[in-house]
Amino acid sequence: MSNALPELKLTNANFELALKGRKLTSVRLGHKTIAPGLCALVNVETNQKKPINIRYVNRCLLSDLELNDARLDGFNTVEDLKAELRRCYRRFIEDREPVTQVHFDLVADEKVA
C-alpha cells in the first residue's frame, strides 16, 4: 500500500506562479475526479514537488469562467487563460467544453506529516 500523495501537475511557468502565490487555482480540461485534501503539486519539467491543500473543486464549462477565475489562475484576462489551455492541451478548445477548476493553498513543508 502506497502513502504517496495524489499529484497535480503544472508546467514550469505555472508551478513558479503557484510558488509565488500568484496562482491559486488550476483549470483542467474535462470533468476530473479530484478530491479536496492534501496533494503534491508537481513541476512536470523539473519534477520538483510542493505540498498543497486542495480546498475546493468546481466542475463547470469553460464559458462559465470569469475574470476573477482567470486572475486566481495567474492570468490577467479570461482570453489569456484560454490561450494557456490551448498551449497546454495543443488544440483548439470550445467555450462549451467542460473544465475542472481546482482551488488550492500551498502547505508549509513542516506541516506535512
Side-chain angles (χ1 to χ4, degrees):
M1 185 160 118
S2 173
N3 289 332
L5 292 175
E7 294 183 344
L8 188 68
K9 297 179 180 181
L10 294 178
T11 63
N12 187 61
N14 286 316
F15 186 87
E16 292 300 323
L17 284 175
L19 290 184
K20 293 175 185 172
R22 292 188 46 221
K23 182 176 185 68
L24 303 172
T25 65
S26 179
V27 175
R28 306 285 156 151
L29 192 58
H31 284 173
K32 306 295 185 193
T33 303
I34 299 173
L38 202 57
C39 182
L41 196 63
V42 179
N43 183 326
V44 296
E45 294 160 42
T46 67
N47 208 36
Q48 180 182 356
K49 295 181 180 180
K50 179 71 179 164
I52 60 170
N53 181 46
I54 296 175
R55 51 187 178 77
Y56 178 70
V57 178
N58 178 40
R59 291 170 187 87
C60 60
L61 298 176
L62 182 60
S63 61
D64 293 331
L65 298 180
E66 299 177 345
L67 180 58
N68 190 54
D69 297 307
R71 289 185 173 157
L72 286 171
D73 211 272
F75 300 97
N76 292 322
T77 68
V78 174
E79 285 308 314
D80 290 344
L81 171 60
K82 290 178 183 178
E84 177 66 3
L85 287 171
R86 286 191 299 271
R87 190 186 70 72
C88 288
Y89 288 96
R90 298 180 182 164
R91 70 174 183 83
F92 182 78
I93 300 171
E94 300 283 342
D95 281 344
R96 301 297 298 166
E97 289 193 52
V99 295
T100 302
Q101 183 185 37
V102 182
H103 295 254
F104 61 86
D105 295 312
L106 293 176
V107 175
D109 292 329
E110 64 271 7
K111 292 188 179 182
V112 178

